[in-house]
């Protein structure tokens, strides 16, 4: 929305919707400390603090940057009516520092915000919600780098990556850019446009990414794969076991992630309505089915269903349903989730086959389940999916959006990783052997003496 002029009707913000989005923002923010527990439990005892600090560091760096220029780079033109830069990102200075979103003016006897909000929610509230998405996306990447990366280099990477990768992709998908459903997006080039009742042209078959399959999970998973390859493997990878030091922490982290994910998915509706209820049910259905799918693979392959497998299956289901949660039926969500759990359980072994050290299986869970969830919409979407008589157009659009996001992230992350190489990614070998907690933070998680 833009300036509410005196002769225009003005829809007041809805207090119920606003309250729900604020609660959702808090739930999503909780997900990053939850991820710290999940990753920390999966790490070895001598590196658990560093692993958790990488998540907390992401909260600090990304939150500051998001307030200054992150939201502006992602969504400024949607508020100001201005043009973006080649459909890739918005002007970082248009809403720099967010002060413009708080400006009010007396119009028609009412004190109204000069810049409107997202639907029935004030713009500053939507900023809070979107900030938490940027935070956890960066934190997810850290799981591929456990036990071997300098903390200072990680923080510098965090600031650069969120600026040149996350914000542009968020704009391209959600902010009206090249991967969105507007008339200049790629979907319009593929299958043409249609004009709505308000005279606005949009893609006939628009991409669907309800809550971040491309922007969050494919993005983070692909970045993790690139970094795991370029930074290199841990000492002893493939020759020794790297066992989780605290499995109850892993399960606690998964439980808190599941709890926070209701804010992630349901909050993306931007309103407390029937669609939000459907999203809640779909999120639960897919997650439960994915956990069972993962455990079934473990039972057939290894002979034992494990606690780590149950926790990982939960995360795989949450990842897969994220882009699809508003477009599927509950039955479709069960199928999507079960397949996601099985695929991710199989995919985590690829790192041993191909020799890249994705320490905590970010690639196997987030990239694989994110790709499946995004593409699976083309099969299971109730209005446009192949299995519901919608033909192949939605499937083609979903494949293209997934491929475009994957390629963009891979190229940009590689450039950043190589540019930071002279500064040094890796800690010294003796420091890695001693334990990164002691050498990087002068702390240990447990005083056992």
């Amino acid at each position: 929305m833009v300036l509410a002029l005196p002769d225009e009707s003005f829809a007041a913000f809805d207090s119920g919707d606003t309250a729900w989005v604020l609660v959702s923002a808090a739930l999503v923010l909780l997900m990053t400390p939850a991820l710290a527990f999940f990753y920390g439990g999966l790490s070895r005892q001598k590196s658990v603090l560093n692993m958790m600090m990488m998540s907390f560091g992401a909260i600090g760096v990304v939150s500051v940057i998001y307030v200054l220029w992150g939201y502006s780079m992602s969504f400024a033109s949607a508020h100001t009516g201005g043009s973006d830069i080649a459909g890739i990102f918005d002007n970082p200075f248009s809403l720099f520092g967010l002060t413009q979103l708080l400006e009010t003016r007396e119009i028609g006897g009412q004190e109204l915000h000069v810049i409107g909000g997202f639907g029935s929610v004030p713009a500053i509230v939507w900023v809070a919600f979107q900030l938490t998405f940027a935070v956890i996306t960066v934190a997810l990447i850290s799981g591929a780098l456990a036990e071997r990366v300098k903390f200072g280099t990680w923080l510098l990477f965090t600031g650069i990556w969120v600026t040149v990768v996350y914000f542009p992709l968020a704009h391209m998908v959600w902010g009206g850019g090249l991967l969105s459903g507007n008339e200049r997006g790629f979907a319009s080039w593929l299958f043409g446009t249609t004009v709505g009742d308000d005279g606005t042209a949009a893609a006939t078959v628009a991409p669907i990414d309800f809550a971040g399959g491309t922007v969050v999970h494919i993005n983070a998973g692909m970045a993790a794969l690139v970094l795991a390859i370029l930074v290199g493997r841990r000492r002893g990878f493939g020759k020794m076991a790297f066992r989780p030091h605290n499995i109850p922490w892993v399960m606690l982290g998964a439980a808190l992630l599941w709890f926070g994910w209701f804010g992630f998915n349901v909050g993306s509706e931007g309103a407390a309505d029937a669609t939000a209820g459907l999203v809640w049910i779909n999120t639960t259905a897919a997650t439960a089915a994915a956990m069972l799918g993962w455990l079934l693979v473990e039972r057939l392959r290894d002979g034992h269903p494990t606690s780590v497998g149950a926790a990982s299956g939960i995360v795989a289901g949450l990842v897969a349903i994220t882009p699809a949660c508003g477009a599927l039926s509950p039955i479709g969500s069960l199928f999507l989730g079960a397949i996601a759990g099985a695929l991710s359980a199989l995919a985590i072994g690829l790192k041993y086959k191909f020799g890249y050290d994705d320490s905590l299986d970010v690639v196997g869970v987030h990239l694989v389940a994110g790709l499946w969830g995004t593409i699976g919409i083309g099969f299971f979407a109730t209005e446009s999916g192949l299995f519901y008589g919608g033909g192949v157009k939605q499937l083609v659009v979903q494949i293209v959006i997934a491929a475009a996001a994957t390629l963009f992230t891979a190229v940009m992350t590689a450039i950043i990783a190589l540019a930071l190489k002279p500064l040094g990614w890796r800690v010294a070998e003796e420091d890695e052997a001693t334990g990164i907690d002691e050498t990087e933070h002068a702390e240990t998680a447990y005083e056992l003496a």
Side-chain angles (χ1 to χ4, degrees), residues 22 43 97 115 126 270 282 380 401 405 409 448-449:
L22 282 170
S43 301
I115 294 179
W126 196 247
N282 287 348
F380 292 107
I401 190 177
T409 300
L448 302 176

Side-chain angles (χ1 to χ4, degrees), residues 4-11:
L5 299 175
D7 58 347
E8 291 181 344
S9 60
F10 183 82

